Structure formats: C-alpha cells, structure tokens
Amino acid sequence: MEQDKLKKVIEAAKLYYLLDYNQNQIAAEMGISRPTVSRLLQLAKSEGIVQIKIMDPENDIEQLSSELEQKFHLKKAIVASIPQYDSGLIKEELGEKAAAYLYETTQDGDVIGVTWGTTLYNVACHLKQKFVKDVKVVQLKGGISHSETHTYHSEVLSLFGKAYNTVPIYLPLPAIVDHVVVKQAMEADRHIKRILDLGKEANIAVFTIGAVKSESLLFQLGYFSEEDQKQIRSKAAGDLCSRFIDENGEILNADINERTLGIDLKELKKKDHSILVAGGQQKVEGICAALKGGYANVLVTDQFTARSLLDKC
C-alpha cells in the first residue's frame, strides 16, 4: 500500500474507532467523500490495521466453570455474571443460579438438607415450585439463638418446603451450646436424633461458607467467649455449617466443634449433590478451604470470585 494511502487509512481508522467520529464527520475532517471513508475503513480491517475482538461474557463464564471443575474436581461449577462486586447483588444472582440448579436436579424421593443465613434465604426466594413426590426438606444445623440477629432459618425452611410440596423438618436447637454434655443430652432425644439422622441421609445439601469477621452471624449470635473469638479470627478460614475450618479445610477448634449441633462436615462429602453457594472477596479464603477439604462437589459463585479462586487457591 502506498505510504500516502496508508496514512489516510490510519487517520480514518483513528477518527472512527478511537474518537467515535461518524463517516460524514470523517469525510468533512479529511476533505474526502463519505464513500471514500467507507473504503478506507474497509481497508483498515482487511489489512489488519484494525483488529476487532468481541468479548463474549458467556464464553468467559463457560471457561471459568470448566477451569473450576477441573481444578477442584467438581461435578458442576456454576458461575454467575455480575456487573459489579456488590455483596447484595452477588447473593441475589447466586440465589437465582442455585435455585435453577435445584429445579433441574431435584427428583421424586430426594431428601434436601439446608442451612440458613442471607445467602440461603436468597436461594429460597428464587425457588420455583416443582411438582415432585415424596421430597423431604430438613434443617442441617441448629439456628435458634437469644440474639435479635435474624438467621432466616424459619423462612428458608418454609420456602424450600413450599417449593417441593412438603412440610419442612426443623432442627429446634441452637447452633452451638456451652457444654458438650448439653449437646449430648439434646442428641439423645429420639425426636432430635431422627432429625439429625435425616440430615445424614439427605442426598442433596445446600449450604454456604461464613466469612470470619465481626459482623458475621455466628459472632453476633453470642455463642463464643472472647478467647474463642481470638483463636477463630487468627486461624479460621471460614465456617461451614457453623463448624470452623482452617485454610486446608480441617476442623479448627475441636472443643467448639464438639459443642456444635448439626451435620458433621464429613457427611457433606457423601452427598450426591453437595452444593456450596458463596461469592464475594471476603469469602474467597473460606471457599478455597471448603474446596480443599472436599466438602462440596457443586459450586455456585460469581466470575470475580471464580478468578480469585483460580489465581489464589
């Protein structure tokens, strides 16, 4: 291409692609006709001077899902595309995605175990009614406290029950008690034992990971002494079903674990669908620990968290 013509092609391309001039404006600026501008822009593309790359968010999401599945040996990774890293928005989007996965997955005779909190409440709010038979819904961990903090445990169970046409089974206990003997006495009750056993039998479990921070629900519920809180904040990666785990997914504090009422984490590994729903920068460490521990075989997260997990975990 002649040097003079090349200069015109580059000038027209810069005006069009970088400065957002339309073809009429470029024609006036360069003192040429509009059809000539069109030919110059076509040349810019055909000669490789202008290269157009289309970023399809869906392709990126599919790639992230595939990489997560491979890295963490997951049955399924579902990545929600969110426009910004906002906690409320993340929970809303993840709730919708998790609810859709449950709609596809749940079949006659399934037992669904659920926990509580704002993330699970968002999942429950997005559930669509599915006309299945003999489905049971059971609470996987205690949720009663003397605090005014809202755990959403009753709303979550109620909405899950409504979606699957069943009466949900509540675990009417606190998540953590002060003494092991209190827990043992509660578990000895045959009605409580039946609920806990049903949680073990559940083939679907839906849960999240709690971040270790002062505003987290477990800290607000008044379950811990100051000494407990110091150890948790210094060493815990997050809480899974009210059980604290370290960065490798191991139980952090045996004493607190022994006082915790609900499903043992080892039982999560046995589920057909062990669904971890979590996203946000403050939860990356906890999600990473949960995946390292092998507690989830399905992950529902957002694209920002997904990238952090692939880069840092």
Side-chain angles (χ1 to χ4, degrees):
M1 188 186 301
E2 295 177 4
Q3 195 67 24
D4 185 55
K5 191 171 187 179
L6 177 61
K7 286 181 179 178
K8 287 183 178 179
V9 169
I10 292 172
E11 184 181 357
K14 285 183 176 179
L15 289 169
Y16 188 76
Y17 290 103
L18 298 182
L19 300 178
D20 290 328
Y21 278 41
N22 62 39
Q23 292 189 18
N24 288 329
Q25 290 171 321
I26 295 170
E29 177 75 17
M30 295 179 64
I32 56 179
S33 68
R34 197 198 64 77
T36 301
V37 172
S38 181
R39 285 193 293 273
L40 292 175
L41 293 175
Q42 285 295 328
L43 269 173
K45 286 195 285 185
S46 64
E47 294 294 323
I49 295 167
V50 170
Q51 298 179 9
I52 298 174
K53 185 178 181 181
I54 298 173
M55 301 298 292
D56 185 347
E58 289 303 315
N59 286 341
D60 187 39
I61 293 300
E62 288 177 13
Q63 181 65 27
L64 287 171
S65 298
S66 178
E67 289 181 25
L68 287 170
E69 288 166 5
Q70 292 176 26
K71 181 168 184 173
F72 299 110
H73 310 290
L74 298 169
K75 180 180 293 187
K76 183 77 172 176
I78 301 167
V79 179
S81 178
I82 58 170
Q84 58 187 0
Y85 219 25
D86 173 79
S87 177
L89 183 61
I90 289 171
K91 289 177 181 179
E92 176 80 14
E93 293 295 325
L94 299 193
E96 186 175 346
K97 291 287 186 183
Y101 179 75
L102 283 166
Y103 187 85
E104 294 173 6
T105 304
T106 306
Q107 300 176 356
D108 292 349
D110 281 341
V111 179
I112 306 172
V114 299
T115 58
W116 41 257
T118 54
T119 299
L120 267 293
Y121 180 64
N122 274 277
V123 176
C125 286
H126 283 94
L127 290 173
K128 293 180 182 177
Q129 190 168 24
K130 187 169 184 179
F131 294 97
V132 284
K133 298 177 181 178
D134 303 320
V135 168
K136 294 178 181 177
V137 173
V138 61
Q139 186 175 331
L140 290 179
K141 66 174 184 175
I144 295 174
S145 84
H146 300 296
S147 167
E148 293 181 1
T149 302
H150 201 355
T151 65
Y152 294 99
H153 78 278
S154 60
E155 291 93 334
V156 170
L157 268 288
S158 176
L159 288 167
F160 265 82
K162 183 178 179 181
Y164 299 109
N165 314 297
T166 187
V167 178
I169 301 167
Y170 295 84
L171 183 61
L173 300 172
I176 300 169
V177 292
D178 288 337
H179 304 285
V180 176
V181 291
V182 176
K183 174 187 172 180
Q184 291 170 342
M186 289 177 171
E187 290 180 335
D189 180 271
R190 62 189 176 91
H191 300 292
I192 297 300
K193 184 177 184 303
R194 179 177 62 84
I195 297 169
L196 293 171
D197 286 345
L198 188 61
K200 290 180 184 178
E201 294 168 14
N203 62 311
I204 299 173
V206 192
F207 53 95
T208 190
I209 185 90
V212 181
K213 53 182 182 176
S214 59
E215 62 266 33
S216 294
L217 274 176
L218 281 180
F219 288 106
Q220 295 182 54
L221 296 175
Y223 288 133
F224 307 120
S225 66
E226 286 188 19
E227 189 174 331
D228 286 338
Q229 292 190 41
K230 284 179 183 178
Q231 185 193 30
I232 291 166
R233 287 199 177 95
S234 64
K235 296 182 179 180
D239 85 84
L240 206 59
C241 299
S242 298
R243 299 179 190 272
F244 287 94
I245 55 175
D246 64 20
E247 61 182 5
N248 296 312
E250 301 291 334
I251 292 293
L252 176 66
N253 185 309
D255 175 62
I256 294 175
N257 190 57
E258 286 299 315
R259 295 188 281 117
T260 302
L261 286 150
I263 194 167
D264 288 328
L265 295 189
K266 62 184 179 182
E267 297 296 332
L268 294 177
K269 300 180 181 183
K270 303 175 184 178
K271 308 301 183 190
D272 294 333
H273 304 276
S274 187
I275 307 166
L276 172 57
V277 186
Q281 192 59 45
Q282 76 278 11
K283 292 195 175 185
V284 170
E285 185 182 3
I287 298 169
C288 182
L291 294 176
K292 283 183 178 179
Y295 300 118
N297 56 33
V298 177
L299 173 66
V300 183
T301 193
D302 63 90
Q303 82 270 28
F304 299 111
T305 303
R307 291 193 186 98
S308 294
L309 290 170
L310 292 168
D311 292 341
K312 301 174 183 178
C313 188

